[in-house]
Amino acid sequence: MKEIKVNRKIELNKQFKISRMKEVIKPTVPHKHDGYFEIIYLTDGAGVHQIDEDNYPVEPPLLFCMSPGHVHCWEFSKIPKGFVCIFKDAFLSDFPEIKLKFTQFATKYSLINKKQSFQREFEMLMEEYLEENPNLNILKSYLNIILWKIADLPAGEYKKTAIANETVTRYRNLIEEFYVSEKKLAFYADRLQITKRVLNNVVKKETGRPASSLINEHIIEESKRLLKHTNNSVSEIAYHLNYSDPSHFVKFFKSKTNLTPGEFRAKIKN
């Protein structure tokens, strides 16, 4: 079973890293994040940034905000310039309000003809990070400022579904971690130490959908990523997602997308 490449840009014992964008045009291979969030601020460059099923034109100045689990790759036609900031969930533990708001951020923010600029903040963040003994509190504070500035931006056409409830956020994080082995709502309710009924009510209030739909949604998203970015057979993908019978996976996929996995793969290849 060939899996999507996982890039580990940050050491396991670290929670934060910032660097300048690599100034190269070479296309990148589709890859996943490994348990961290990523903010990319570009001041120059051109091309396409593919995130999951969507292609975003690279027209600086702009920001990209990505979460764990996203599959993405670049195809530049002009050398990019800017910053890449990555951080783990725990790095924002001192700022719970903005931590929850991050789930509401759009995937892309265009800054063309906008008065807002992030150059100074990223420069200051980079300068502190490169100190011999960087001050963790200063790094967190600078990142907090950047995130609040992003929160004030209009999202335009790239707006994500707003979910700013802590229980729902924790529920989504658990799904990200356990969706392969655990597909029943009872497991997640138990981990959250609430009843299935309470969990369902909270999720329905925030999203308008039953709690189980978030599990199904995540399985479908991952299935689409594997169908698009690997050459694995439908059976291999089914077994990878812990379906004992591939026909059950095909039936589930079609019930949610109106396409069989094979039909979906053929459609995106054309």
Side-chain angles (χ1 to χ4, degrees):
M1 171 72 187
K2 182 181 178 182
E3 298 187 19
I4 296 170
K5 180 183 177 183
V6 176
N7 273 11
R8 294 179 176 84
K9 297 181 181 178
I10 188 170
E11 295 86 348
L12 291 175
N13 62 335
K14 299 287 181 65
Q15 294 183 358
F16 175 84
K17 181 180 180 181
I18 183 171
S19 60
R20 293 193 181 274
M21 190 76 180
K22 290 183 179 178
E23 297 184 9
V24 294
I25 292 184
K26 182 180 177 182
T28 61
V29 176
H31 59 276
K32 268 188 178 184
H33 295 178
D34 185 32
Y36 57 81
F37 298 92
E38 185 166 358
I39 299 175
I40 299 164
Y41 174 54
L42 293 181
T43 57
D44 203 357
V48 175
H49 188 193
Q50 183 182 96
I51 304 176
D52 289 335
E53 298 175 66
D54 299 312
N55 291 325
Y56 298 94
V58 175
E59 298 169 334
L62 80 169
L63 289 155
F64 286 106
C65 301
M66 291 182 291
S67 301
H70 276 149
V71 174
H72 76 125
C73 60
W74 300 91
E75 189 164 340
F76 288 111
S77 56
K78 181 182 178 183
I79 290 177
K81 294 182 180 180
F83 297 89
V84 179
C85 177
I86 59 180
F87 56 94
K88 295 183 179 178
D89 185 73
F91 194 69
L92 292 177
S93 59
D94 294 335
F95 305 102
E97 189 174 355
I98 194 63
K99 183 177 175 181
L100 288 177
K101 276 187 173 291
F102 196 89
T103 62
Q104 298 176 270
F105 283 7
T107 305
K108 174 186 173 181
Y109 291 91
S110 174
L111 302 175
I112 297 174
N113 298 324
K114 299 287 195 306
K115 65 179 181 179
Q116 297 95 334
S117 173
F118 289 78
Q119 185 70 29
R120 183 179 62 176
E121 287 80 5
F122 276 96
E123 291 280 5
M124 293 169 69
L125 188 58
M126 183 83 174
E127 184 179 342
E128 181 62 34
Y129 180 76
L130 294 177
E131 289 286 338
E132 186 175 347
N133 294 299
N135 186 307
L136 195 61
N137 290 322
I138 293 177
L139 291 176
K140 288 181 178 181
S141 297
Y142 284 157
L143 178 60
N144 189 42
I145 291 170
I146 289 171
L147 294 176
W148 276 110
K149 285 190 66 173
I150 295 174
D152 286 339
L153 292 171
E157 62 184 296
Y158 303 109
K159 182 73 171 135
K160 289 182 183 176
T161 301
I163 296 174
N165 179 284
E166 185 174 5
T167 299
V168 177
T169 300
R170 290 172 59 205
Y171 176 45
R172 282 186 178 275
N173 290 340
L174 287 170
I175 293 173
E176 171 72 29
E177 185 175 358
F178 294 106
Y179 73 95
V180 170
S181 60
E182 303 292 344
K183 297 177 173 60
K184 300 293 186 182
L185 190 62
F187 169 82
Y188 297 98
D190 185 60
R191 290 297 293 257
L192 292 166
Q193 298 182 322
I194 56 178
T195 66
K196 290 193 296 181
R197 186 172 183 175
V198 170
L199 177 57
N200 199 57
N201 287 341
V202 170
V203 173
K204 200 162 188 178
K205 183 178 179 181
E206 288 294 314
T207 69
R209 296 179 291 157
S212 59
S213 70
L214 271 65
I215 302 172
N216 295 336
E217 178 185 81
H218 194 85
I219 295 169
I220 290 297
E221 286 177 357
E222 185 62 19
S223 301
K224 287 180 175 180
R225 289 165 182 159
L226 290 167
L227 288 164
K228 182 173 184 177
H229 296 296
T230 76
N231 292 319
N232 298 324
S233 68
V234 171
S235 293
E236 287 175 321
I237 292 172
Y239 292 133
H240 173 72
L241 295 173
N242 209 28
Y243 284 88
S244 57
D245 186 337
S247 66
H248 294 162
F249 168 66
V250 172
K251 185 177 180 180
F252 167 76
F253 189 93
K254 186 169 184 178
S255 71
K256 304 302 178 186
T257 67
N258 293 320
L259 295 170
T260 67
E263 289 169 343
F264 172 79
R265 175 173 270 167
K267 183 179 178 181
I268 61 175
K269 295 294 183 184
N270 293 334

